[in-house]
Amino acid sequence: MRPEQVSVILNQEFKSVLQGHHTPVMLWGAPGIGKSQIIAQIASEHNVNMIDIRLSQMEPSDLRGIPFKNGEQVDWAIPSLLPNEKRHGKQGILFLDEITSAPPSVSAAAYQLILDRRLGDYIVPDGWVIFAAGNRQGDRGVTYSMPAPLANRFSHYELEVNLDDWVAWAYKNDIDERIIGFLRYSPEHLFEFDPAHNPVAFPSPRTWAFTHRALQKFEGNLNLFRAAASACVGEVAGVEVATFIEHLEDLPDLDAIVNGESVSIPDAIDLQYAICSALVGRAISVKGKDNAEKIWGNILNFARNFPQKELGVMLVSDMQRAIGEEIFAIPEFVNWAGAIADTLFD
């Protein structure tokens, strides 16, 4: 399932908890594809706390608590990490991460917590949802087969990698446009993981964010950036992204494009992809400014006359996802849509 679809489902799960319709959710997927990030974004969007419990690092007593004598009885001290309305708020997310890496004795301790929303005398607050995530057994991680009683306590979704969804996330999170342009040009490098080959560094949404950081640190020395990128995403993708960025010196004048001037487009297809990603970045940078519609209109006019019509469609699609429905009200959008329709259905 695409990340965007999973995000919609988790949002609805969060909203439904107060009506008693919430079902605990288990996200499955390969390492580094954004499972934890999606759940953290749900918490951020709703401005609530997310308690991240790494079950792989716990003992059964860490969840159940410590027994102590209370008169003639034995009571249990409730762990402070579990959700509490006074400390953590009336609503929030209890996130059981790395649940497939937890030994059976620990996952068994979570059975009652997940299904009955309680653990002994402790009760999960009504406004808190329970989400979990973990890797599959074939992903070369430290994983245990999920026991049937535990699996039966969740609804299960398998997260897939999707380039369009990653690009939308990347623009929102200020990932360098050159990284975005490279992955638009070479989408096969967004995620390459073969557990049979035992890779150390490999391309994934997570490691491309690392590569973005490397570019900010070593932009002035492409040799160092090439080494740093290879350390993040592997040698093949690292060398290719460094070479791609090195060739961007031949980009046309982007200021001239956003100002509505006529610009000669290079024949090299990698530069055309880079132009598209850079123009989306320019469109985002002027959102909310007085000249936004003028610049957006100039970019739309450029997209209409783009030599590669498919790239023009990609450019406008990425713009729309980045800046929202405001783009539909611009006259140049109507002109672009008409020109594209004439081309596609001629």
Side-chain angles (χ1 to χ4, degrees):
M1 183 172 285
R2 287 179 54 167
E4 184 179 17
Q5 295 171 312
V6 169
S7 181
V8 171
I9 288 171
L10 295 182
N11 255 310
Q12 196 59 39
E13 285 288 350
F14 182 85
K15 294 176 183 177
S16 70
V17 68
L18 291 177
Q19 285 75 46
H21 301 312
H22 168 59
T23 301
V25 173
M26 173 69 195
L27 288 188
W28 297 87
I33 64 173
K35 301 183 294 295
S36 303
Q37 181 72 26
I38 289 175
I39 293 173
Q41 285 180 344
I42 301 299
S44 177
E45 289 171 9
H46 292 280
N47 194 28
V48 297
N49 279 321
M50 180 184 81
I51 296 178
D52 185 344
I53 298 179
R54 305 292 172 114
L55 291 180
S56 61
Q57 303 171 13
M58 305 188 77
E59 299 289 339
S61 59
D62 293 336
L63 278 181
R64 184 68 177 84
I66 304 297
F68 65 93
K69 187 176 181 181
N70 183 10
E72 298 299 320
Q73 298 179 330
V74 172
D75 289 338
W76 294 81
I78 298 172
S80 61
L81 56 80
L82 293 175
N84 177 279
E85 281 195 8
K86 291 182 179 179
R87 295 196 309 271
H88 306 118
K90 291 185 177 182
Q91 285 194 276
I93 297 173
L94 175 58
F95 180 33
L96 305 176
D97 203 0
E98 302 174 358
I99 190 169
T100 53
S101 300
S105 59
V106 176
S107 60
Y111 285 9
Q112 186 185 24
L113 180 68
I114 295 166
L115 181 62
D116 299 328
R117 300 177 61 85
R118 65 184 304 149
L119 202 57
D121 293 332
Y122 169 76
I123 299 176
V124 178
D126 291 340
W128 282 69
V129 295
I130 299 175
F131 297 149
N135 299 134
R136 303 158 302 187
Q137 281 194 290
D139 290 328
R140 206 175 59 84
V142 178
T143 58
Y144 296 86
S145 178
M146 180 175 280
L150 178 60
N152 199 238
R153 284 162 163 77
F154 287 109
S155 57
H156 298 263
Y157 298 94
E158 184 159 346
L159 188 64
E160 300 173 351
V161 177
N162 180 273
L163 180 62
D164 287 339
D165 289 358
W166 182 85
V167 167
W169 172 88
Y171 281 121
K172 288 180 182 178
N173 288 273
D174 298 323
I175 297 297
D176 196 291
E177 298 149 10
R178 292 167 289 182
I179 302 293
I180 300 172
F182 170 73
L183 289 172
R184 276 297 193 194
Y185 174 62
S186 300
E188 70 277 6
H189 285 317
L190 175 60
F191 181 72
E192 294 179 285
F193 175 64
D194 184 356
H197 290 162
N198 196 29
V200 176
F202 59 90
S204 72
R206 177 193 292 154
T207 54
W208 281 115
F210 296 167
T211 307
H212 155 80
R213 298 176 197 168
L215 183 55
Q216 311 314 303
K217 290 178 282 193
F218 303 115
E219 183 173 9
N221 189 324
L222 277 178
N223 287 329
L224 287 179
F225 170 68
R226 182 179 288 105
S230 297
C232 295
V233 294
E235 186 172 3
V236 173
V239 170
E240 287 191 24
V241 70
T243 303
F244 177 88
I245 290 172
E246 186 176 8
H247 288 167
L248 297 187
E249 295 176 355
D250 299 325
L251 277 180
D253 187 350
L254 297 174
D255 290 331
I257 295 175
V258 299
N259 289 330
E261 302 174 23
S262 178
V263 172
S264 177
I265 305 301
D267 294 330
I269 192 69
D270 57 341
L271 293 181
Q272 294 181 23
Y273 273 96
I275 291 170
C276 291
S277 62
L279 289 177
V280 175
R282 295 294 183 94
I284 295 170
S285 68
V286 298
K287 185 174 183 179
K289 296 182 179 179
D290 293 338
N291 62 342
E293 290 193 5
K294 181 180 179 181
I295 289 178
W296 293 345
N298 290 336
I299 295 175
L300 287 166
N301 286 335
F302 177 82
R304 185 180 63 185
N305 299 316
F306 208 86
Q308 298 285 341
K309 298 301 181 184
E310 296 82 0
L311 291 186
V313 172
M314 183 195 77
L315 167 57
V316 177
S317 297
D318 284 350
M319 275 184 64
Q320 188 275 320
R321 280 191 289 266
I323 65 179
E325 296 184 359
E326 296 175 59
I327 194 174
F328 299 142
I330 302 172
E332 289 84 356
F333 178 82
V334 178
N335 297 334
W336 171 82
I340 289 299
D342 291 343
T343 301
L344 293 179
F345 302 106
D346 189 3

